Amino acid sequence: MLCVNRRVALIFMACLVFAFIYTTRYPAEVVNFPRFIFSILFIFNIILFIKPGDIGKIKVTKFLTPRKVITSISMIAYVLLFPVLGFFVTTFIYVLSYIIFFERTAKIKALLVAGGWILVLYLVFQKVLYVWFPKGFLL
Amino acid sequence: MLQIISNVFTPLNILMAAGGVVLGIIFGALPGFTAAMGIAILMPLTFTLDPAAGLIMMGALFAGAMWGGAVSAILINTPGTPGAAATVLDGYPMAKQGRASEAIRESIFSSFIGGMLGVMVLQMFAPPLARVSLLFGPPEYFMLALFGMTIIASLSEKMVIKGFISGFLGLSIATIGMDPLLGIPRFTFGVPHMVDGIQLVPALIGLFSIPEILEIIQTHGEKVEKIPSLKNIKIGFPPLSHIKKMTPTYLRSSFIGLIVGLLPGAGASIASFMAYNEERRASKTPEKFGTGMVEGVAASEAANNSVCAGAFIPMLTLGVPGDSVAAIMMGGLMVHGLHPGNALFTVHAEITWTFIFSLYLANILMLFFGTFCAPWFSAVTDTPRHILAVSVILLTTVGSFALRGSMFDVYVMLFFGIVGYLLKSHGFDVVPVVLGIILGPMAEKGLNGTLAISYGQNTLGFILQRPVCLVLLALIAVSLAIPFIRSRNKDKDIFSAPHEPDAM
């Protein structure tokens, strides 16, 4: 089983090979600099592969914990729902559910924080800074 | 000069400076929240403001955060920012001895002195250095970009080779978008939004904020030290006799901070440790350092605040940021159409000088808020971390969207957030990535220009004939040698990582 750094180096090298192949679709003058950078990056990854050092074990269950996965997926879902539900509705639901997830008894606090943020974002961004947030079918 | 000073003291700019300082202190004081994150989040909000007002707010946040880190360093043995790492060594022992007020008072005052001295040097040396930038042609800019990459990578806290990989990864990302030579879109994969390249601000926000948020979420509910309430801390100013006694410490440490700040990538943490070590060497009782010596706190804090101004010098004059925060601020400059170099001190002189003089105001406000308003910050430091985390998520999302009103920038922010988290969890620094994205266009234009100018000649020979290039080449050689020197001092292979725990 390869150590972590070697696996990382292999992944980088595979991506760089793909990137190099991809550069063939462009004129040579356009890709001189990217190829120069990719070559040096490839050399660095070879060095990392040969001398990976010792960074101990990285347990996937530690860097992909349930909380981190849930937070990441919820952030992605939050962003993807903007055009559907609208920014303000999505934000309200997101903040409310987020706080209740971590503090199940704090429903009033969650409502106040979610409502407070909606107000601040509306007043500061839409009214003062004229940043118009995506609208969905609700708001 | 009077015009500039009157610009600084407009109600809007005073409000920006005050707001920036307060936010900076909060971000600095909360472990897990950094000055870089604060500025990355704040930057999009400043786009609709006047450029000077936006820069003032960001500079003030930087200054405030450099002191804010000392609060948690002293009270809970956890530096709020990397620059306060050396403050822990004597600050926390002082707090344990019941001298927390004395430690915090010293940290504010020495931060103020360091900050003010730093701005004075910035004011004196930035214009002549900006004129030196007129000697820079494409070969010099290419070498300068390489120097920026090598020094930041070689000073990487984790494995040096990973620092180089991160930096060149950033350079690779910078090649996405329109090619500067023929205007052909590169690596866009048919996505129209990518023709402009990867926008720096959303990438910065993602790289700096999302990984930290994920770590904060992970520690929710665990036994994490909460900052003791600041309500009972009484501060005030140190007596004049104490200030006189500490003057050599302030001057020495501020000077060290300035020099370190000038070096691209050598940030506040290096400055604070160097100043701490020098203070210990200069002391008559070096064996007492680490047991609660106020000089240790003063040295660290004066150095980390003078780094702010030091980092701005190469950023404003040569376009090479001296610190990760300066790197983010450079992004802010460029978004406002202000490009580093001599033009900043000629065409845009009013904005630049207003920003520089506002740093004096920021330091004065930091002294005021830190001395008289510390108890009020309890309201934020007492807020549960999951509420702070969701607030940061909102601000990062909104900030990314506010840049161009485009959802694509939010997707970029999320993507880079995940990339940043994966990089950090595998031992890569994200600061070199950011620097690579910033320096990439400079490096490419420099290389293309050099190849064009030296057409028909030996390019390397052409570069070696230019004096500024030779100086930069020598600096690159030094920066590449630094890891080997450090490894000899630590008796370690440069390819081995410092001890990394099993859990990431």
Side-chain angles (χ1 to χ4, degrees):
Chain A
M1 181 81 173
L2 286 175
C3 81
V4 173
N5 279 346
R6 284 200 163 127
R7 270 185 268 156
V8 168
L10 280 177
I11 292 170
F12 266 118
M13 285 194 275
C15 293
L16 287 166
V17 166
F18 169 76
F20 240 106
I21 295 169
Y22 199 83
T23 60
T24 53
R25 60 175 59 203
Y26 300 109
E29 307 90 328
V30 164
V31 290
N32 276 337
F33 183 75
R35 282 180 178 165
F36 169 67
I37 298 300
F38 295 159
S39 308
I40 298 181
L41 201 42
F42 200 87
I43 293 168
F44 286 144
N45 279 288
I46 290 174
I47 296 172
L48 182 65
F49 187 85
I50 293 169
K51 277 218 163 217
D54 175 18
I55 65 165
K57 298 188 185 68
I58 297 181
K59 296 180 187 140
V60 173
T61 48
K62 286 274 183 177
F63 86 83
L64 284 181
T65 62
R67 272 189 192 165
K68 288 177 185 173
V69 171
I70 288 170
T71 302
S72 307
I73 292 173
S74 68
M75 279 171 61
I76 294 168
Y78 166 53
V79 165
L80 291 176
L81 282 173
F82 282 168
V84 178
L85 298 177
F87 172 78
F88 291 109
V89 171
T90 318
T91 300
F92 184 82
I93 295 170
Y94 180 68
V95 175
L96 192 72
S97 46
Y98 193 94
I99 295 174
I100 290 174
F101 176 77
F102 282 100
E103 215 179 324
R104 293 196 197 282
T105 54
K107 294 187 174 69
I108 305 290
K109 192 198 291 186
L111 274 169
L112 288 171
V113 171
W117 264 116
I118 296 298
L119 197 61
V120 165
L121 291 173
Y122 175 74
L123 289 173
V124 173
F125 282 89
Q126 255 186 221
K127 287 295 170 190
V128 175
L129 299 178
Y130 298 108
V131 175
W132 300 103
F133 294 114
K135 286 190 185 358
F137 73 88
L138 280 178
L139 191 63
Chain B
M1 174 80 108
L2 282 175
Q3 172 67 35
I4 302 295
I5 293 173
S6 68
N7 284 351
V8 172
F9 287 99
T10 60
L12 175 68
N13 287 344
I14 293 174
L15 189 66
M16 291 295 115
V21 166
V22 168
L23 282 171
I25 293 172
I26 291 168
F27 270 93
L30 292 167
F33 292 80
T34 61
M37 186 204 278
I39 291 190
I41 293 168
L42 195 70
M43 195 178 1
L45 309 183
T46 64
F47 291 153
T48 52
L49 297 170
D50 172 62
L55 287 173
I56 286 169
M57 193 167 193
M58 289 192 280
L61 193 152
F62 192 6
M66 286 297 108
W67 171 65
V71 173
S72 51
I74 289 165
L75 296 180
I76 59 166
N77 199 29
T78 304
T81 56
T87 307
V88 162
L89 301 173
D90 277 284
Y92 186 60
M94 286 177 76
K96 284 202 299 191
Q97 292 161 18
R99 294 157 62 206
S101 299
E102 184 190 342
I104 292 193
R105 180 174 60 227
E106 187 60 50
S107 68
I108 300 172
F109 196 77
S110 34
S111 295
F112 167 72
I113 298 289
M116 294 296 264
L117 288 173
V119 182
M120 282 180 210
V121 171
L122 168 63
Q123 187 188 336
M124 281 193 295
F125 287 103
L129 197 56
R131 283 195 284 279
V132 167
S133 74
L134 291 172
L135 299 174
F136 278 53
E140 285 77 13
Y141 277 113
F142 176 64
M143 299 300 283
L144 187 66
L146 273 187
F147 170 61
M149 297 310 311
T150 52
I151 192 112
I152 198 166
S154 64
L155 290 168
S156 181
E157 291 293 324
K158 301 187 170 80
M159 287 173 76
V160 170
I161 194 70
K162 285 183 166 178
F164 282 114
I165 290 173
S166 296
F168 277 79
L169 179 63
L171 286 176
S172 308
I173 293 167
T175 61
I176 296 172
M178 200 81 83
D179 142 67
L181 212 56
L182 298 178
I184 296 174
R186 281 180 309 205
F187 310 117
T188 57
F189 303 101
V191 178
H193 294 96
M194 282 169 67
V195 168
D196 282 340
I198 297 294
Q199 291 298 308
L200 177 64
V201 171
L204 280 179
I205 293 174
L207 283 168
F208 280 104
S209 305
I210 306 295
E212 301 299 338
I213 290 167
L214 292 175
E215 289 305 325
I216 287 165
I217 294 303
Q218 186 54 38
T219 57
H220 172 78
E222 290 174 12
K223 239 176 156 313
V224 175
E225 291 248 32
K226 220 172 83 151
I227 298 176
S229 184
L230 294 165
K231 291 190 183 114
N232 300 321
I233 299 281
K234 288 176 173 39
I235 306 176
F237 291 119
L240 209 56
S241 54
H242 176 82
I243 295 171
K244 271 174 74 173
K245 184 184 127 200
M246 297 293 286
T247 299
T249 302
Y250 298 146
L251 291 174
R252 180 171 42 238
S253 306
S254 302
F255 178 72
I256 291 171
L258 265 166
I259 298 299
V260 171
L262 281 173
L263 297 173
S269 59
I270 293 173
S272 69
F273 273 111
M274 280 180 70
Y276 182 86
N277 277 332
E278 288 309 307
E279 188 59 29
R280 187 170 52 183
R281 286 213 302 198
S283 168
K284 292 181 180 127
T285 52
E287 70 285 354
K288 289 191 182 167
F289 274 71
T291 64
M293 291 286 279
V294 72
E295 289 84 349
V297 172
S300 169
E301 288 301 308
N304 72 27
N305 267 73
S306 67
V307 157
C308 300
F312 291 146
I313 296 175
M315 179 194 95
L316 294 172
T317 57
L318 300 172
V320 180
D323 181 273
S324 56
V325 177
I328 302 173
M329 284 187 62
M330 215 173 101
L333 267 182
M334 282 149 60
V335 168
H336 283 293
L338 304 168
H339 294 277
N342 198 53
L344 268 189
F345 293 88
T346 50
V347 175
H348 304 292
E350 192 171 330
I351 296 172
T352 308
W353 283 111
T354 302
F355 166 63
I356 292 174
F357 275 87
S358 76
L359 294 174
Y360 287 118
L361 174 64
N363 279 291
I364 292 168
L365 287 169
M366 179 192 69
L367 181 69
F368 171 77
F369 283 119
T371 304
F372 299 111
C373 306
W376 299 353
F377 292 115
S378 294
V380 178
T381 57
D382 292 345
T383 303
R385 290 166 75 75
H386 61 284
I387 294 184
L388 290 173
V390 77
S391 306
V392 172
I393 291 172
L394 282 190
L395 288 171
T396 55
T397 309
V398 168
S400 305
F401 180 81
L403 178 64
R404 296 186 299 174
S406 164
M407 282 304 298
F408 185 75
D409 291 333
V410 182
Y411 303 144
V412 166
M413 184 272 295
L414 275 181
F415 175 77
F416 275 90
I418 292 167
V419 165
Y421 178 69
L422 290 172
L423 285 173
K424 285 184 98 166
S425 58
H426 287 80
F428 290 84
D429 270 327
V430 295
V431 175
V433 179
V434 169
L435 198 65
I437 296 174
I438 290 174
L439 294 178
M442 182 202 288
E444 182 166 12
K445 283 187 195 135
L447 182 63
N448 288 337
T450 305
L451 291 171
I453 296 170
S454 64
Y455 186 74
Q457 303 171 51
N458 181 333
T459 305
L460 188 59
F462 175 77
I463 289 174
L464 291 175
Q465 285 167 15
R466 300 171 76 97
V468 176
C469 286
L470 285 174
V471 170
L472 288 167
L473 208 55
L475 289 172
I476 290 171
V478 167
S479 68
L480 288 172
I482 287 172
F484 291 96
I485 296 166
R486 278 164 80 199
S487 72
R488 253 203 347 217
N489 287 343
K490 287 186 190 167
D491 199 35
K492 216 167 63 164
D493 188 338
I494 61 160
F495 293 107
S496 32
H499 170 70
E500 303 263 6
D502 275 356
M504 291 275 248

